[in-house]
Amino acid sequence: LVMAAPRSVMRAVRVFQFGGPEVLKLQSDVLVPVPKENQVLIRVHACGVNPVETYIRSGTYARKPALPYTPGSDVAGVVESVGEHVTAFKKGDRVFTLETLSGGYAEYAVAAANRVFPLPDKLDFRQGAALGVPYFTAYRALFQKGCAKAGESVLVHGASGGVGLAACQIARACGLKVLGTAGTEEGMNVILKNGAHQAFNHRDPNYTERIKECTGGVDIIIEMLSNVNLDADLQLLSCAGRVMVVGCRGRIEINPRDTMSKESSIIGVSLFLATEEERHECATAILDGIEAGWLRPVVGLEYPLGEVAKAHEDIIGGSGARGKMVLLL
């Protein structure tokens, strides 16, 4: 029996200079990475696309990778091989990751074993690629940083994207009153199917008044676009309410007095700063949710690896999200 030699080169997206979507170059002769100690090599079936990857690519983000690099962190696929001391995974296991070391927009990716988790059979690889950053971020924003409790109200601002839908599902399952906003009728329908009790169109000029009328004030706001919404968010909060800043694309002017009148808080959320214990807590909650059946990632637009530049254009300039954007390999 002649065994096929493992592939030594692969297709991967490489970025050689910071800039617009056109700097994403698909190459077919990139070396397949070799897993070192405590690392796992994954044959990638799907990779999530996150807004933060467009900021990093453009060179405007606080963290800049050394050039050239391959973007992408949310990978789902099958373990190809493992490095020394890895006992939790073996070749052939279905897995998803939160973060890769070599970049996820590629046919193979290396990840630290402690950032890799088993992908339950209930979910396909596309859904697996929608788990990592969105669900871990949503759980961290709600509970680890936002201290959400059953019975409180949460407004998910921009709820039809990956993090937003994750926040709606998690908050609903944990006993919160869930309100969500989206920019299209279709987005609002998706939100209502995924845990929101009420949906509002954030393109409607009076939508904040309508939220105030129906709540009197919300306890927590999960905010994806704080450079647009933060000033209005402070008016929407109840006493001791908190705005969780998950996404931002620029500066905004606010009046700090608005926080004094209600003793409210503005809290930044960065999954990058989570401790090992916090990541473990997120993973446990997420895997429990999948098992229980309420956690079902919604996959939105899908692109082949060759159309990665279009994916980056659409995630920032699109008309409105409806689920998690993924690259398929």
Side-chain angles (χ1 to χ4, degrees), residues 126-174:
R126 292 152 51 251
Q127 292 172 305
L131 283 173
V133 168
Y135 280 88
F136 280 67
T137 300
Y139 184 88
R140 181 169 180 76
L142 282 164
F143 298 107
Q144 293 177 342
K145 295 294 164 189
C147 304
K149 293 179 185 66
E152 287 191 311
S153 58
V154 58
L155 170 65
V156 184
H157 224 153
S160 60
V163 177
L165 287 168
C168 288
Q169 290 179 359
I170 294 169
R172 178 69 179 251
C174 295

Side-chain angles (χ1 to χ4, degrees), residues 266-322:
I266 302 165
I267 303 168
V269 179
S270 172
L271 191 53
F272 185 66
L273 296 174
T275 63
E276 197 63 47
E277 290 73 25
E278 287 172 331
R279 271 194 304 272
H280 181 71
E281 182 194 335
C282 289
T284 303
I286 288 161
L287 291 167
D288 284 353
I290 296 167
E291 187 58 40
W294 57 258
L295 194 158
R296 304 282 301 171
V298 178
V299 177
L301 296 169
E302 302 173 5
Y303 300 80
L305 195 56
E307 288 178 26
V308 63
K310 177 93 171 74
H312 270 223
E313 277 166 34
D314 291 350
I315 200 167
I316 296 301
S319 63
R322 349 169 248 297

Side-chain angles (χ1 to χ4, degrees), residues 32 51 100 103 113 116 121 147 178-179 209 235 238 241-242 260 268 275 287 311 326:
V32 174
T100 67
V116 177
D121 290 335
C147 304
V178 185
L179 314 173
E209 293 309 314
Q235 326 299 322
S238 59
R242 45 265 187 224
M260 296 159 63
T275 63
L287 291 167
V326 295

